[in-house]
Amino acid sequence: MSDIFPKWTNKLPTRVIAGALIAGTTVFAGITYYATPKYTRVGYQPVQPVAFSHAIHVDQVGLDCRYCHNGVEKSWYSNIPAASTCMNCHNQILANDPKLALVRESYNTGKAIPWVQIHKTPDYVYFNHSVHVNRGVSCFSCHGEINKMDEVRHAQPLSMGFCLDCHRNPEKNIRPPEQVFNLNWHTNEAAQLQLGEKFVHDWKVNSSQNCSACHR
Amino acid sequence: MRYFLPIWILIVAVSIGVLGFRESVLRKPPIEVFPDMDRQMKFRPQVPNEFFRDNRASRLPASGTVARSEPRRNVAGGAVVYSYEDHPVNSGKMTGTTNWVELNPTVIDAQSMARGRQRFEINCLPCHGPLGDGNGVTKKLGMAVVATLHDPRIVKMSDGELFHVISNGRNLMGPYASQLAVEDRWAVISYLRALQFSRLGSLEDVPAQFRASLNK
């Protein structure tokens, strides 16, 4: 038989198995690490047509989220403000700044500013902003420290697992209603749980895990 | 094995080099790993749509149209007023005339006052300041003229005229009709009146049991 199978073939099965194991493990690890919104979405930070900084407007100037995103408490989506909202201040502040040329053009002609959408749920997901912010879920829970961002960055995976984590344990993210738009409000874990459990009970929070809660 | 391992390590290293790590800055739109039905033939709010000349998928109501449903809540006397009616609550003017109404036509109670305060602090505070004295943060940033709301000219203004100014703007102040619902504008006016009253009052206006605390 040694004419047909030379001696090195004796080790072939072990080598094939070892090679397959190494390859399989790395491929598995790679898919686990990369094929998830934690990799594909988190960190998405497109270049916007106007270099708007949340850090300046919220953290330094102290505007409330709802000055610009005024529909967030009433509507299922949180609106990008109209150029007229910007011009309430920027008709005098930085009135001739070239960085704001697109805003002025939009204000004067009605041409839309081509903002790049960052947080995008799939079209079969019906996330409702008003329900969440009116029941104590802060902007912070899904958008991270957006008040400190010079350029908006996708901070959380916003995957189905991310939604379900909170829908299974809403008490971890429910805060006093007056602190929902105060992104600097933080408390320790024990106090958060105590508060959260109280709110879940008092407000009869029913964070549904039915498919139809989000998928229609 | 002698060839396989180095080649495999090279492949893994190159893949990591190309793909990077989680949470790194991504300038390009996220890859959708399983894109089934993620993006459907429909338009979400504020997305572009080349079908219309202004490239907007969201359409504005035709000019001059008024919502017909949803009566105004909180009108004094429990009246049911719809938004198309010529009623002081909609226009700030006395029905059938061009004269401003003297008094706020909505119910003023603790709830509307709290709402007014909240909306004042979101929308008015950046320029007019928390006390309404025109010392908001924008003054430091280059806003030239901000009215103090304690100016006798504004104190003497009728509620109807204030409503008109909030809705349509005046001089350098922009209109707030799209940011503040009609009910909220009236709530802001009642809170503003309280702010003004706090500067005009004397010690006799303070209930006896609270006077001592003011002298501290």
Side-chain angles (χ1 to χ4, degrees), chain A residues 26 32-34 39-40 43-45 67 70 73 77 80 91-92 110 121 123-126 151 153, chain B residues 8 19-20 22-23 26-28 30 37-40 42 44 46 56 119 122 143-144 172 176 179:
Chain A
T26 35
T32 315
Y33 187 80
Y34 287 118
Y39 167 74
T40 57
Y44 179 39
Q45 187 178 310
Y67 185 88
N70 50 53
E73 291 167 300
Y77 71 98
I80 303 293
N91 61 353
Q92 295 174 65
T121 53
D123 280 355
Y124 45 78
V125 174
Y126 292 78
E151 277 183 277
R153 171 176 181 278
Chain B
W8 189 251
L19 293 170
R22 282 184 185 178
E23 316 222 340
L26 306 166
R27 291 296 190 185
K28 291 193 184 127
M37 297 174 79
D38 274 4
R39 304 291 159 231
Q40 300 169 10
K42 66 176 182 183
R44 292 200 154 193
Q46 297 193 305
R56 289 180 161 103
R119 295 295 126 175
I122 294 170
M143 189 84 90
L172 287 167
Y176 277 76
Q179 277 112 306

Side-chain angles (χ1 to χ4, degrees), chain A residues 89 91-95, chain B residues 136-146:
Chain A
C89 299
N91 61 353
Q92 295 174 65
I93 300 170
L94 302 180
Chain B
V137 65
T138 53
K139 199 168 194 176
K140 286 179 225 139
L141 300 168
M143 189 84 90
V145 212
V146 182

Side-chain angles (χ1 to χ4, degrees), chain B residues 57-69:
Chain B
S58 303
R59 310 310 302 158
L60 290 168
S63 62
T65 48
V66 206
R68 291 192 65 83
S69 56

Side-chain angles (χ1 to χ4, degrees), chain A residues 8 15 24 59 73 77-78 82 99 107 109-111 117 119 126 142 151 163 173 175 190 193 195 213:
Chain A
W8 64 266
R15 284 181 176 180
D59 211 39
E73 291 167 300
Y77 71 98
S78 174
K99 279 185 276 186
Y107 180 71
T109 64
K111 196 179 153 212
Q117 189 177 2
H119 303 86
Y126 292 78
C142 301
E151 277 183 277
C163 298
N173 282 292
R175 47 168 84 187
L193 277 183
L195 266 178

Side-chain angles (χ1 to χ4, degrees), chain A residues 168-184:
Chain A
R168 288 182 181 132
N169 300 304
E171 63 279 354
K172 286 185 182 162
N173 282 292
I174 294 188
R175 47 168 84 187
E178 63 276 10
Q179 305 296 354
V180 166
F181 297 96
N182 175 6
L183 273 67
N184 289 319

Side-chain angles (χ1 to χ4, degrees), chain A residues 48-51 83 86-87 97-115, chain B residues 56:
Chain A
Q48 298 288 357
V50 180
C86 311
M87 293 305 279
D97 196 289
K99 279 185 276 186
L100 290 162
L102 270 179
V103 177
R104 285 192 297 273
E105 189 195 354
S106 173
Y107 180 71
N108 292 328
T109 64
K111 196 179 153 212
I113 302 172
W115 297 109
Chain B
R56 289 180 161 103

Side-chain angles (χ1 to χ4, degrees), chain A residues 45 51-56 60 146-152:
Chain A
Q45 187 178 310
F52 176 83
S53 163
H54 280 82
I56 290 175
Q60 293 179 28
I146 199 157
N147 57 329
K148 304 256 167 77
M149 292 180 195
D150 269 320
E151 277 183 277
V152 180

